[in-house]
Amino acid sequence: MNRPLSSSDPGALLAAVLAANETTPDPRLRQVMAAGIRHLHAFALEVDLTPAELQVGLDFLVEVGKATGAERNEGILLADILGLATLVQLRSARHSVEAGGTEPALVGPFWRAHQPLRSNGATISSDTTPGPRLEVRGRVVDLDGTPVPGARVETWQASPKGMYENQDPEQEDMNLRARFETDADGRFSFVSVRPAGYPVPTDGPCGRLLAAQGRKVMRPAHLHFIVLADGFKCLATQFFDVDDPHAYEDVVFGAVGSLLRKFEPDGHGGYRLDVDLKLEPGEARLPHCPLP
Ligand code: BEZ
Ligand code: FE
């Protein structure tokens, strides 16, 4: 039998809410909701949450929802700046990483569907994007180091000014974006310009939260990759410039140690980046693409 509710016994209230949840037919939803309820009650008790503070929090969530649409997603950004998105992604890839697979990183909000297919060695930056040359050479391999030919490799990056092409009227459509196919030796390569770091969007509720926390808002310079090959789990990751001033303070906590790379000077004012992308066997499924 349930204990009677009383203001001096928060445990009875928690027990009643958990009992109400027990009628949830879906077992996973029941489990997730029970854990969520327990943690929310513990959180409110720990900080002695006031009714006014609860209202501020609920108003914030409403604002996050209102600021979310096809072109912008403050909900994803909230999970990102709280480190929740990175936690969930790293946790779901832990077996692959323990076996030697490349660590994943967030897809983020800037990947576009239908990035142009280019041949290996192609230049992906237009003349209107000046900056130091960056030559990228990559290899897609399995956990034993055997090359994976015919893999689809998507890449996208910000410009040397720290802007993606869809944010910047000065860049051509699909600039600094491409899709490649690995050759018989699992290799792909392209020529680009060195990206710069950039701030996450700060003109919405998440930006206000970051300001209230006195937090830095930058992501260190990086290149995104998504690799898709038959018989392997899809890998979404990023390689970060270890020399970026924000290399160790990524606002979305995606710049894990194994993904920090030296962009090596080529002796002519440009840079080289060599990357290995190690895939785990499994079902190939592309993640949700945030932009058309
Ligand atoms: C990105 O890597 O493009 C990104 C990820 C999370 C928030 C904002 C941008
Ligand atoms: Fe990015």
Side-chain angles (χ1 to χ4, degrees):
M1 204 170 88
N2 284 346
R3 280 137 65 185
L5 299 181
S6 95
S7 53
S8 61
D9 185 5
L13 174 62
L14 175 60
V17 181
L18 289 173
N21 181 59
E22 280 302 302
T23 54
T24 308
D26 181 322
R28 179 63 177 160
L29 180 61
R30 190 164 64 242
Q31 179 193 18
V32 169
M33 285 306 298
I37 291 162
R38 272 198 309 275
H39 285 276
L40 279 174
H41 279 235
F43 151 73
L45 287 175
E46 182 185 322
V47 301
D48 213 357
L49 198 70
T50 67
E53 288 166 340
L54 175 60
Q55 193 56 49
V56 169
L58 295 175
D59 290 347
F60 176 77
L61 291 180
V62 169
E63 265 189 80
V64 166
K66 281 189 184 159
T68 293
E71 295 283 304
R72 155 175 206 144
N73 196 318
E74 287 277 315
I76 292 179
L77 188 55
L78 181 59
D80 291 344
I81 64 173
L82 296 179
L84 186 62
T86 294
L87 173 70
V88 169
Q89 190 176 34
L90 291 180
R91 181 105 184 123
S92 79
R94 66 190 183 282
H95 299 303
S96 151
V97 172
E98 275 161 22
T102 301
E103 280 198 284
L106 304 174
V107 172
F110 296 115
W111 176 35
R112 284 186 67 181
H114 316 298
Q115 297 194 149
L117 179 63
R118 303 201 196 263
S119 5
N120 280 315
T123 297
I124 68 166
S125 59
S126 69
D127 299 341
T128 52
T129 317
R133 184 179 194 271
L134 175 68
E135 186 181 345
V136 180
R137 293 178 304 193
R139 195 166 193 214
V140 179
V141 294
D142 69 11
L143 293 178
D144 299 325
T146 308
V148 178
R152 168 175 168 180
V153 178
E154 301 252 350
T155 189
W156 66 103
Q157 63 167 88
S159 71
K161 284 196 308 189
M163 290 179 89
Y164 286 90
E165 108 339 282
N166 55 308
Q167 305 174 294
D168 181 3
E170 286 176 17
Q171 290 183 55
E172 284 172 22
D173 189 40
M174 293 289 180
N175 190 38
L176 301 174
R177 299 176 180 277
R179 176 149 66 93
F180 297 95
E181 196 177 298
T182 56
D183 66 14
D185 207 18
R187 295 183 192 279
F188 65 93
S189 60
F190 58 93
V191 176
S192 185
V193 281
R194 187 175 182 165
Y198 57 84
V200 293
T202 53
D203 56 345
C206 290
R208 275 198 294 109
L209 176 60
L210 288 167
Q213 292 178 292
R215 284 177 54 181
K216 298 191 171 143
V217 300
M218 294 298 286
R219 300 220 63 211
H222 57 272
L223 288 93
H224 290 260
F225 291 93
I226 287 182
V227 188
L228 190 75
D230 283 344
F232 295 94
K233 284 191 185 160
C234 184
L235 172 69
T237 195
Q238 305 176 27
F239 291 103
F240 297 88
D241 180 353
V242 72
D243 292 323
D244 187 293
H246 303 284
Y248 295 95
E249 49 189 33
D250 181 3
V251 62
V252 299
F253 309 99
V256 296
S258 71
L259 301 176
L260 291 172
R261 294 299 153 91
K262 178 88 184 156
F263 290 20
E264 295 288 349
D266 65 5
H268 306 284
Y271 297 86
R272 270 203 207 103
L273 174 67
D274 289 326
V275 294
D276 261 9
L277 294 146
K278 248 187 195 186
L279 305 183
E280 184 196 15
E283 192 192 339
R285 202 172 332 120
L286 272 182
H288 166 75
C289 185
L291 287 178

